[in-house]
Amino acid sequence: MKTRLLKGIVGIEAAIVLIAFVVVAAALAFVALNMGFYTTQRSKEVMAAGLAQASSSLELDGSVLAQVNTTNKRVECIIIPIRLSAGQKEVDLTPNKTTIALWITGKAAFSNIYSKLAQAIPTPQSSYNVTMLCNTTGRVENGVAIICGPRSNGDTVLGPGEKALVVVNFTRLLPSSLNVSSYDVIKVEIKPPLGAALTVERTVPASLTAMIMDFG
């Protein structure tokens, strides 16, 4: 009788120990799975954020146009058309949220020429010819502006289907002693709040005989 009782007690103790092991193992498994799920989610978020930063939210929407002073053989103004890249979210084009840097090789460099609210022109214009755009920009800070296209809804946020024009009037931006002329390299970097910068680089052609030129 005592032997059977002893065996029963040992069996209960073994069962208790086994249950304890199972509970501890289940708890450890839950912690491991939970950490795994959390790590996987964080990895996805980091990858998505990295992809968003690596890809540009903006892209060119056609050719870069220029207004030329054929008498003095100098480029007076350039117009860069932009739009959202495929699959990207809206971009805030408000000055100092989006910044614009400019380099003219061997002549001038600016880290940000887009910092005043008046430089964002969201109201649709009555005309979009090159001369009008350059004249409009020549009246604002530094002669640099982002002018929203005809499909704009009247704000400074570039949304799907909307277009904008980055206009740089060199006659207002640069001193009179400094001209943008043949063989000069113009580099404009448009940096939105999220995503990689859109860099546009053009070399001024040798012949400046037309008042309006297509820089490609």
Side-chain angles (χ1 to χ4, degrees):
M1 186 68 178
K2 291 184 179 180
T3 303
R4 291 180 180 179
L5 180 60
L6 182 60
K7 289 182 178 179
I9 293 173
V10 171
I12 292 173
E13 291 176 347
I16 292 173
V17 172
L18 180 60
I19 291 171
F21 275 122
V22 171
V23 171
V24 171
L28 291 175
F30 173 78
V31 171
L33 287 172
N34 191 48
M35 288 301 297
F37 290 141
Y38 175 77
T39 303
T40 301
Q41 181 63 31
R42 291 295 298 164
S43 297
K44 289 171 63 179
E45 292 175 1
V46 170
M47 290 174 64
L51 183 60
Q53 288 291 344
S55 59
S56 178
S57 301
L58 301 172
E59 65 181 12
L60 272 177
D61 186 40
S63 298
V64 176
L65 301 178
Q67 178 173 287
V68 176
N69 184 321
T70 56
T71 301
N72 296 325
K73 304 298 182 184
R74 68 182 186 186
V75 177
E76 294 187 329
C77 177
I78 61 170
I79 300 172
I80 304 171
I82 60 174
R83 65 182 178 188
L84 285 180
S85 299
Q88 295 292 335
K89 297 181 180 179
E90 296 178 337
V91 172
D92 191 346
L93 296 179
T94 303
N96 274 334
K97 290 185 178 178
T98 289
T99 61
I100 300 176
L102 170 71
W103 295 267
I104 304 169
T105 305
K107 292 186 175 180
F110 303 90
S111 59
N112 184 23
I113 51 177
Y114 186 65
S115 59
K116 305 294 184 180
L117 288 177
Q119 292 179 272
I121 304 177
T123 306
Q125 305 297 296
S126 58
S127 175
Y128 286 87
N129 67 70
V130 172
T131 300
M132 185 282 298
L133 292 170
C134 290
N135 289 341
T136 298
T137 307
R139 295 191 289 268
V140 301
E141 181 80 16
N142 292 335
V144 178
I146 293 182
I147 300 176
C148 291
R151 296 182 181 178
S152 170
N153 58 8
D155 60 19
T156 57
V157 177
L158 185 64
E162 295 182 340
K163 300 181 180 182
L165 302 169
V166 178
V167 187
V168 181
N169 190 318
F170 297 113
T171 62
R172 176 72 187 277
L173 178 65
L174 303 176
S176 57
S177 59
L178 190 61
N179 294 329
V180 180
S181 51
S182 298
Y183 304 110
D184 283 343
V185 177
I186 303 169
K187 184 178 180 181
V188 179
E189 184 180 81
I190 306 161
K191 175 64 177 175
L194 180 65
L198 171 64
T199 302
V200 180
E201 183 175 319
R202 295 293 185 271
T203 300
V204 179
S207 177
L208 296 175
T209 56
M211 291 184 63
I212 307 298
M213 298 189 68
D214 185 343
F215 281 5

